[in-house]
Amino acid sequence: MGLCGFHASCSLLSLVLIIVFLLCGEHVHSIGRLQTDGCNLFEGSWIYDATYPLYDSSQCPFFEKQFDCVRNSRPDKQYLKYKWKPTACELPRFNGQDFLERLKGKTIMFVGDSLSLNQWQSLTCMLHTAVPHSDYTIYRTGAISTVTFPEYAVKLMLFRNAFLVDIVTEKIGQVLKLDSIESGEIWLRADMLIFNTWHWWLHTGRKQPWQFLQEGNKVYKDMDRLVAYEKALITWSKWVDSNIDPTKTRVLFQGVSPDHNSSADWDDPEAQNCYAQEVPLKGSTYPAGPHPAETVVKKVLSTMSKPVSLLDVTTLSQLRVDGHPSAYGIGGHAIMDCSHWCLAGVPDTWNQLLYTTLLKI
């Protein structure tokens, strides 16, 4: 007897196939969600993929010159061809149109330093590439930059705030107040907040934008930077717990973006820093081990009463010794950049992981 030997069976099979087709066509994202259930997305390795990068940087109107390594004449191109592969699953490929449709009418705000700028510019380009004929607007007012996709009523905002806590001008000079957040009213404008801070906590000398630190009534000329960082994160966590309504606002923490200023961290005696690194490190662990700031972030997040999703990008980014502008940023060989990331590049994977967290909602 054939598969449709009975008319009733054939009709039933046809109906099932039609339903499956409609479900797959309208809800492709559900496949991605099912494939990543129970999988640690942040544990894995980098593998070569000839279909990468996800976009052509020359077609992106949003980029800062410092991140556009191809435009800055970086000679090697293999660093563009790697994708992140979690050990136990496949990372869903980024679907920019689906991203915009899911967040229609919403405002996403990145709050942090130039690594937030790195991720924000990556995301704006990934979305523009997905809907190249959709209009967009871009403008900056003070510390806030905004890209809007009017067709979807989606706003992508960047609020530059390197420490999350306040820097205040007082008689003694610029004071970093470890227990004060005055800019939180602006953050409450967003439906999704993605926070980041670390990069500026280690700056000294002319790059340090404060002269003193203060906690309560105590003023310090300096203190252990990791201790100061934890105090600031605790202040931020209390702000989130006191001010965020999880039914209205989703909160994520970007994780700690590592630098590669010392090749001793990845046991390469022939290198000095990230310059001339052309391929990722093999495997899934970093020779120098966990980043100390990453440990602090996880410690603070574990104490919070409100839900915060961690984009735990530290280890996967540590493996990308090849991903920085190095001499192909804005400073050339005079200012070696082993902190920020080329675009296209590693922050695109951060945004793939951001997209995957949306699939899990």
Side-chain angles (χ1 to χ4, degrees), residues 162-312:
F163 298 95
L164 301 184
V165 292
D166 299 329
I167 294 181
V168 178
T169 302
E170 299 191 348
K171 291 181 179 180
I172 58 174
Q174 297 292 104
V175 180
L176 180 60
K177 300 209 168 188
L178 299 175
D179 55 1
S180 174
I181 293 177
E182 295 292 337
S183 55
E185 287 295 320
I186 298 174
W187 303 347
L188 292 174
R189 299 177 189 175
D191 302 287
M192 177 182 289
L193 287 161
I194 304 167
F195 291 98
N196 155 64
T197 181
W198 170 246
H199 181 62
W200 280 80
W201 286 90
L202 297 181
H203 284 346
T204 58
R206 290 185 299 174
K207 289 186 177 181
Q208 178 182 301
W210 48 266
Q211 285 80 50
F212 298 92
L213 304 105
Q214 184 173 349
E215 183 183 28
N217 294 322
K218 294 184 178 180
V219 176
Y220 306 89
K221 183 64 179 173
D222 207 343
M223 69 169 63
D224 183 292
R225 300 301 177 85
L226 202 59
V227 171
Y229 179 66
E230 181 171 355
K231 290 178 181 293
L233 280 186
I234 290 171
T235 299
W236 166 82
S237 70
K238 290 178 179 177
W239 182 92
V240 171
D241 283 343
S242 299
N243 292 279
I244 292 297
D245 180 352
T247 65
K248 297 179 180 179
T249 307
R250 180 82 184 271
V251 179
L252 300 96
F253 198 91
Q254 182 190 16
V256 174
S257 176
D259 63 58
H260 291 100
N261 289 309
S262 173
S263 63
D265 289 344
W266 63 94
D267 298 333
D268 185 352
E270 297 183 1
Q272 181 177 357
N273 48 40
C274 70
Y275 180 67
Q277 300 294 309
E278 297 184 2
V279 295
L281 298 180
K282 295 180 180 179
S284 58
T285 58
Y286 190 58
H291 196 293
E294 172 192 17
T295 303
V296 170
V297 168
K298 291 180 177 179
K299 176 184 175 183
V300 172
L301 293 185
S302 71
T303 68
M304 297 178 66
S305 61
K306 298 289 176 68
V308 176
S309 299
L310 175 63
L311 291 178
D312 194 4

Side-chain angles (χ1 to χ4, degrees), residues 12 28 80 83 186 220 236 247 293 336 348:
L12 179 60
V28 174
L80 294 166
K83 76 172 182 180
I186 298 174
Y220 306 89
W236 166 82
T247 65
M336 192 65 57
D348 305 333

Side-chain angles (χ1 to χ4, degrees), residues 25-183:
E26 294 181 9
H27 301 287
V28 174
H29 59 265
S30 66
I31 298 173
R33 181 170 64 246
L34 291 172
Q35 287 179 336
T36 59
D37 282 349
C39 172
N40 183 351
L41 297 172
F42 308 103
E43 181 180 285
S45 59
W46 292 93
I47 63 173
Y48 184 86
D49 188 330
T51 67
Y52 272 53
L54 297 176
Y55 55 83
D56 179 352
S57 61
S58 68
Q59 301 302 308
C60 292
F62 311 108
F63 280 174
E64 302 262 336
K65 185 177 185 294
Q66 71 185 96
F67 305 142
D68 195 346
C69 300
V70 172
R71 179 185 172 193
N72 295 333
S73 303
R74 178 167 172 170
D76 63 302
K77 300 294 185 290
Q78 189 169 333
Y79 73 94
L80 294 166
K81 297 293 186 179
Y82 289 94
K83 76 172 182 180
W84 177 246
K85 171 63 174 71
T87 302
C89 61
E90 291 289 336
L91 191 64
R93 196 168 179 92
F94 186 83
N95 184 330
Q97 185 171 355
D98 180 58
F99 186 104
L100 289 165
E101 288 173 350
R102 286 172 177 274
L103 294 173
K104 185 170 287 188
K106 304 295 186 182
T107 296
I108 306 165
M109 183 182 291
F110 291 85
V111 183
D113 55 30
S114 52
L115 278 309
S116 290
L117 171 64
N118 231 176
Q119 185 177 4
W120 175 76
Q121 290 201 333
S122 162
L123 182 58
T124 57
C125 186
M126 294 168 78
L127 295 176
H128 175 63
T129 299
V131 290
H133 303 297
S134 185
D135 290 338
Y136 65 87
T137 63
I138 181 168
Y139 60 91
R140 178 173 179 174
T141 304
I144 301 177
S145 297
T146 306
V147 171
T148 303
F149 292 89
E151 180 180 347
Y152 301 91
V154 170
K155 287 184 178 181
L156 301 175
M157 304 179 73
L158 171 71
F159 181 33
R160 293 166 175 80
N161 186 327
F163 298 95
L164 301 184
V165 292
D166 299 329
I167 294 181
V168 178
T169 302
E170 299 191 348
K171 291 181 179 180
I172 58 174
Q174 297 292 104
V175 180
L176 180 60
K177 300 209 168 188
L178 299 175
D179 55 1
S180 174
I181 293 177
E182 295 292 337
S183 55

